[in-house]
Amino acid sequence: MEQKKASSKPRLGIKGFLRKLRLGIKEFVRKFFVSLKRSPQNIPLVALVAAFLIYSLNLTSIANTTAKINSPNMGQCEFAAMLFSILAFVCFIRAFPKRQKPLKAMLGLLYLMFGIMIFADCVYIRRINRALIRELNPIVIAPDTAYISTAKNIVTVHIVCIAICAVLLLALPVYAKLLKKINTSIEVEGNGEMDVIDISDEDE
């Protein structure tokens, strides 16, 4: 009896599997856009998190470069970039309280941190460039000092990620309105359309 019951169950063919997969992907995309409509600030947050991860995961190369070149203020620039990368993340979270308008004071502090990090990174890159072309004991990038080139590239990418985050924050009101125009309704057979509950505009 059990075998008959098992065999009586409809098998999921290739077409059924593909249809189910397509619906699953469609639902995932819908939920993704619903989440973005509620919290569009997550877009610049991704750039900020990327900046922190890229810098922190390559901190060994940056530290070795600082120790090798040993130019003035390189250690302070490295420390400032790492410290304010962490503080900027905390400040970003506090700048966007749930269901409330962004805090302008925290956003101003956040942009101040962006400026400090970009300045520190630019000074760091300038110290590397000067060490490579100085007349007295210039630094030569060899296989055993390839970390210097890596550190320079990482610091440059760090600057780019911070700049992208700053631009995305400035453009937040623009693409937040565009995201609200995206249709994220659920089609229900026999009931027309059931709109997704969107709480992004509440308490504004």
Side-chain angles (χ1 to χ4, degrees), residues 10 130 147 191:
R130 287 184 178 180
Y147 53 81
N191 293 324

Side-chain angles (χ1 to χ4, degrees), residues 115-202:
I116 293 174
M117 285 189 287
I118 291 176
F119 175 77
D121 286 342
C122 289
V123 172
Y124 195 90
I125 293 175
R126 188 180 304 172
R127 294 290 186 268
I128 294 177
N129 292 333
R130 287 184 178 180
L132 295 176
I133 62 174
R134 63 190 179 191
E135 295 182 358
L136 184 61
N137 295 326
I139 299 296
V140 178
I141 298 180
D144 59 334
T145 57
Y147 53 81
I148 296 177
S149 179
T150 301
K152 183 179 177 180
N153 293 334
I154 291 301
V155 174
T156 302
V157 173
H158 189 243
I159 294 174
V160 172
C161 288
I162 294 171
I164 291 174
C165 181
V167 172
L168 288 174
L169 272 176
L170 287 175
L172 180 58
V174 177
Y175 59 78
K177 292 180 180 180
L178 295 176
L179 287 171
K180 291 177 182 178
K181 295 180 180 180
I182 298 176
N183 183 19
T184 54
S185 60
I186 304 174
E187 295 182 359
V188 181
E189 294 182 0
N191 293 324
E193 290 188 349
M194 180 178 65
D195 292 336
V196 175
I197 298 175
D198 191 349
I199 60 173
S200 59
D201 293 332
E202 289 188 4

